[in-house]
Amino acid sequence: MVPVADFSKSAVESGVYLQDTAKLLKDQLTLKLGARWDHSSATGQSVFLPRLDASYALRPGTQIAVAIGQTAQFPSMDNLYGKFGTPGLNAERATTAALSLDQDLGDRWRLHTELYERNESQLIYSPLTQFRLTSNGSYAIPTTGPVLTNGLSGYARGVEIMLQRQSANGFSGWLAISRSQNRYTSETGL
């Protein structure tokens, strides 16, 4: 058995989340504004992550919503100190936006349609951690040591349509179909 990582480290991640909700236009419009602050003692980095959700009832049983927000993921301890450990990595970042339409179909059925886009940056990756084919046609084995970077970025966008049935004592479930497109690029050139 080959050990994947061999280190002894500790760290603390702390965070605070605040959110407020306002109902306007006789409760037809709901606004939610939120923000999150997180800190990692392992990296010394702090991140501020805003979020906004708005929904509007077009008529009874029909609602449109829009949401935009940011998220972050600090490097794992393995990314910092493991086999490919690279101290100095930053948090991975993403900004997500979504537009949805909900339509009630009777008292138990709901049709949900959503368009979304997620842009990611500073993703942790290195092709040097993989078995790979080099430009001259030979195979290269993974390189251990501090080879990881925050050099990958990309996006995901698509549409999802879901039909849902809710019942307290009968058949409940959902059926969904989605179509998405993803693309990621490395800034390292490898």
Side-chain angles (χ1 to χ4, degrees), residues 45-189:
Q45 184 184 17
S46 295
V47 292
F48 176 75
L49 308 165
R51 178 172 182 81
L52 172 67
D53 295 329
S55 61
Y56 182 75
L58 297 171
R59 61 178 195 234
T62 305
Q63 180 173 295
I64 190 167
V66 65
I68 187 165
Q70 293 184 338
T71 56
Q73 177 69 48
F74 289 116
S76 68
M77 296 296 272
D78 188 49
N79 286 342
L80 294 170
Y81 307 113
K83 190 175 190 178
F84 306 107
T86 307
L89 292 171
N90 291 317
E92 299 174 317
R93 305 292 299 254
T95 301
T96 303
L99 174 67
S100 65
L101 177 67
D102 285 296
Q103 177 63 57
D104 290 342
L105 305 171
D107 59 343
R108 290 195 168 97
W109 291 88
R110 176 177 73 108
L111 182 64
H112 175 82
T113 305
E114 182 172 305
L115 300 169
Y116 65 88
E117 179 162 353
R118 178 180 174 94
N119 293 299
E120 299 175 305
S121 63
Q122 300 182 34
L123 300 178
I124 298 169
Y125 175 72
S126 174
L128 299 176
T129 65
Q130 310 289 320
F131 287 95
R132 62 201 180 283
L133 187 61
T134 64
S135 60
N136 67 7
S138 64
Y139 288 97
I141 61 172
T143 304
T144 58
V147 298
L148 296 173
T149 67
N150 286 102
L152 190 65
S153 60
Y155 66 84
R157 58 180 68 121
V159 60
E160 181 175 292
I161 301 170
M162 178 185 69
L163 181 63
Q164 180 182 32
R165 184 176 194 277
Q166 296 177 334
S167 176
N169 54 7
F171 171 77
S172 292
W174 51 265
L175 175 67
I177 186 169
S178 64
R179 170 84 172 131
S180 66
Q181 177 185 17
N182 302 346
R183 182 175 178 91
Y184 290 89
T185 57
S186 173
E187 299 165 10
T188 63

Side-chain angles (χ1 to χ4, degrees), residues 26-63:
K26 299 179 183 178
D27 292 344
Q28 279 186 282
L29 176 64
T30 302
L31 297 175
K32 293 180 184 176
L33 181 62
R36 182 179 178 106
W37 175 87
D38 289 318
H39 177 78
S40 169
S41 69
T43 64
Q45 184 184 17
S46 295
V47 292
F48 176 75
L49 308 165
R51 178 172 182 81
L52 172 67
D53 295 329
S55 61
Y56 182 75
L58 297 171
R59 61 178 195 234
T62 305
Q63 180 173 295

